[in-house]
Amino acid sequence: DSMTAVLFLDLDNFKRVNDTEGHKGGDELLIKMVERINHRLREQDTLARIGGDEFVILVELVKSKNNIENLCEALLETISKEFIINGRPQYVSSSIGIALYPQDGITPDSLLSNADMAMYDAKNNGKNAYRFYHRKLEAHAREQMDIERELRKAINNQELEIYLQPKIGLDCNQILGAEVLMRWFTASGESIPPDLFIPIAESTGLIKKIGEFAISSAISLLEQWQLEGIAPLKLAVNLSIIEFQDEHFIDYIIESISNSSISGDQLIIELTESIFMENKEKMSKTMHKLKHYGVAFALDDFGKGYSSFSYLQLLPIDYLKIDKSFLQNVITDEQSAAIAKCIIDIGHNLDLAIIAEGIEDQETLDYVSKTHCEMAQGFFMYRPMPSDSFTKLIRKNSHAK
Ligand code: C2E
Ligand code: CA
Ligand code: CA
């Protein structure tokens, strides 16, 4: 007995090839890639292009799941090898979703859509991977779609609200500013955490609306405080790398600053290091464009994930935020303390100001003071709060002086 598999294959970073080599260059890469794929297929297999960089492969009469796994591995490997386009090397990777006949579907439509769903699962798991369809994916996909639909409504119905978490200067013990953190309170009073809705907003493009809302809310608060005569503070807004790579979004930030009464140096943009920062030259150019208006940059969650020191070298960063996972253990765990100390030293040697986040107790606060971090943020001092509460807090501090 043998089985039939439907493979849904999608390139992970084909857009970049089109952007740098033009559509002709992109087409050339696709042609070369198809040759490589065909080389791995047998006579009875069928390869079809069903979209720009989307392909479907019908693999008939396979003996075992293992054979399909081997094929997928071979495909991932051959596709990820260098392509020479216009004399320059280009690299792409691919994500493959697999649906099996008959267990995963008996109609062409259901097989295709289930293979597609599995392909998204591969993408969500870091790309350059293959995944088999399984039933749980469906429930997950439905949940994501529900959240997306609700989030779309939430943005229109103004269910999003910014919270502010104070940042304390460690040498002056004063509030120097705050980080803007997005909150979603549904009409039914439920609170949905950003860790849940931000990734969905990122994958659906809704993130730009959220970013615009964060930027415009931050600027109008700064203007309000300015009118009240409160000493200027800085607000830090989190932006996803997706927004940051969008020129319209960058223009939106610049226009918003230009049309306001605040000074651009009151804004800090927090970026999380990510694998998508691959085009560092372009990143750096965009950052310099904003720096021209005074905007500063913080590299968030440093030490977690990809942590490439080359970011520190190539990107015009002003602040380094040590990931809270290191700080939360500095008192009990010598290794975390060693890593934290190392990050602090590197930051200082590169003339960056260090922000210690996730401070939950006096001991950790003492540690970050002792190691000369510039700023601290955490539940121990203040939790994120509604902007009204923050305004009251800084009014009080202003009068106290
Ligand atoms: P983040 O940028 O690392 O933000 C810090 C997170 O740590 C916040 O979680 C904050 O509430 C939490 N936190 C602060 N002090 C402490 C502490 O002492 N202990 C602990 N355990 N946690 C602390 P939150 O607000 O749930 O946000 C989660 C993540 O969602 C943020 O991580 C950020 O990556 C993302 N996010 C939030 N708002 C936005 C936004 O407007 N745009 C984008 N793109 N991402 C956002
Ligand atoms: Ca942040
Ligand atoms: Ca962080």
Side-chain angles (χ1 to χ4, degrees):
D1 48 320
S2 62
M3 53 178 125
T4 297
V6 174
L7 273 51
F8 201 111
L9 187 151
D10 188 284
L11 291 185
D12 297 325
N13 31 22
F14 182 58
K15 192 179 168 296
R16 206 192 45 210
V17 179
N18 275 332
D19 287 349
T20 55
E21 300 299 337
H23 286 271
K24 252 185 108 185
D27 287 350
E28 204 181 310
L29 185 138
L30 289 179
I31 292 166
K32 289 186 170 163
M33 186 191 73
V34 162
E35 280 166 13
R36 289 188 194 175
I37 296 177
N38 266 328
H39 199 68
R40 304 281 165 167
L41 300 181
R42 305 157 308 163
E43 199 71 52
Q44 65 263 45
D45 302 328
T46 311
L47 171 65
R49 181 182 179 196
I50 61 158
D53 61 350
E54 291 176 337
F55 295 84
V56 168
I57 305 168
L58 188 64
V59 190
E60 289 184 84
L61 301 170
V62 252
K63 289 263 152 40
S64 69
K65 225 172 147 173
N66 197 254
N67 290 355
I68 300 167
E69 287 170 350
N70 292 340
L71 172 63
C72 288
E73 263 156 37
L75 290 174
L76 293 180
E77 203 213 297
T78 183
I79 291 171
S80 66
K81 288 213 171 102
E82 178 183 270
F83 288 94
I84 302 288
I85 306 295
N86 299 331
R88 280 180 290 270
Q90 286 290 343
Y91 296 90
V92 292
S93 61
S94 53
S95 298
I96 307 174
I98 307 146
L100 300 174
Y101 172 87
Q103 57 262 53
D104 298 336
I106 49 169
T107 64
D109 277 349
S110 66
L111 282 165
L112 270 180
S113 89
N114 289 345
D116 187 20
M117 212 182 279
M119 187 276 291
Y120 271 101
D121 191 38
K123 279 217 195 283
N124 289 334
N125 282 286
K127 306 184 173 174
N128 194 26
Y130 63 89
R131 284 284 185 283
F132 284 91
Y133 168 83
H134 55 90
R135 277 211 194 224
K136 271 199 226 123
L137 280 182
E138 219 154 325
H140 182 70
R142 201 166 307 121
E143 192 194 58
Q144 300 265 313
M145 259 161 54
D146 285 347
I147 297 179
E148 183 193 339
R149 195 176 316 112
E150 292 302 315
L151 184 57
R152 228 174 257 284
K153 271 196 284 180
I155 292 171
N156 293 330
N157 300 345
Q158 288 152 3
E159 289 176 14
L160 295 182
E161 182 183 339
I162 62 165
Y163 266 42
L164 299 177
Q165 185 178 35
K167 288 185 182 173
I168 314 295
L170 282 168
D171 53 358
C172 58
N173 205 21
Q174 299 267 341
I175 295 176
L176 301 180
E179 175 175 7
V180 174
L181 293 161
M182 201 54 66
R183 294 291 178 265
W184 176 9
F185 299 104
T186 66
S188 57
E190 203 187 341
S191 156
I192 300 175
D195 285 331
L196 198 71
F197 69 82
I198 295 289
I200 294 174
E202 286 175 344
S203 64
T204 54
L206 289 170
I207 193 70
K208 284 172 201 160
K209 293 249 180 272
I210 293 179
E212 285 177 7
F213 177 66
I215 293 280
S216 65
S217 307
I219 291 179
S220 63
L221 276 173
L222 289 168
E223 284 184 313
Q224 178 195 327
W225 300 334
Q226 188 180 48
L227 275 176
E228 278 195 42
I230 296 171
L233 299 174
K234 291 184 199 286
L235 284 183
V237 175
N238 291 287
L239 290 186
S240 299
I241 213 73
I242 300 170
E243 303 168 89
F244 201 72
Q245 285 169 345
D246 179 340
E247 273 163 42
H248 297 295
F249 192 81
I250 303 301
D251 290 339
Y252 175 85
I253 301 175
I254 293 172
E255 268 166 42
S256 305
I257 296 171
S258 307
N259 295 334
S260 78
S261 58
I262 69 148
S263 148
D265 64 12
Q266 291 183 274
L267 273 188
I268 300 171
I269 290 176
E270 294 196 2
L271 292 172
T272 303
E273 40 169 353
S274 110
I275 197 157
F276 301 112
M277 281 185 175
E278 44 195 21
N279 195 342
K280 298 193 191 79
E281 287 76 32
K282 193 164 173 232
M283 281 284 301
S284 167
K285 238 182 171 166
T286 308
M287 289 167 85
H288 279 292
K289 191 170 165 189
L290 284 165
K291 280 188 105 87
H292 179 74
Y293 294 86
V295 177
F297 290 92
L299 194 56
D300 209 348
D301 301 338
F302 192 78
K304 192 172 116 179
Y306 307 99
S307 286
S308 159
F309 290 114
S310 65
Y311 293 136
L312 299 181
Q313 216 174 11
L314 293 169
L315 303 179
I317 295 158
D318 307 277
Y319 302 90
L320 203 57
K321 293 189 90 170
I322 315 176
D323 188 58
K324 52 180 175 289
S325 60
F326 300 116
L327 292 175
Q328 277 165 348
N329 298 314
V330 284
I331 303 308
T332 50
D333 176 24
E334 277 176 27
Q335 263 173 340
S336 291
I339 294 172
K341 181 75 176 64
C342 185
I343 294 175
I344 295 166
D345 288 345
I346 288 171
H348 280 153
N349 288 334
L350 293 170
D351 265 338
L352 305 174
I354 310 287
I355 305 173
E357 74 174 346
I359 308 289
E360 292 184 353
D361 50 49
Q362 183 70 55
E363 290 76 19
T364 312
L365 183 60
D366 292 343
Y367 176 87
V368 300
S369 294
K370 196 178 70 192
T371 48
H372 307 291
C373 291
E374 275 70 20
M375 279 179 256
Q377 192 185 338
F379 294 170
F380 181 64
M381 290 81 82
Y382 299 99
R383 285 186 175 258
M385 59 183 86
S387 57
D388 285 353
S389 311
F390 183 83
T391 302
K392 279 187 196 131
L393 186 69
I394 53 174
R395 257 186 217 139
K396 212 169 66 193
N397 285 1
S398 241
H399 291 315
K401 267 197 257 163

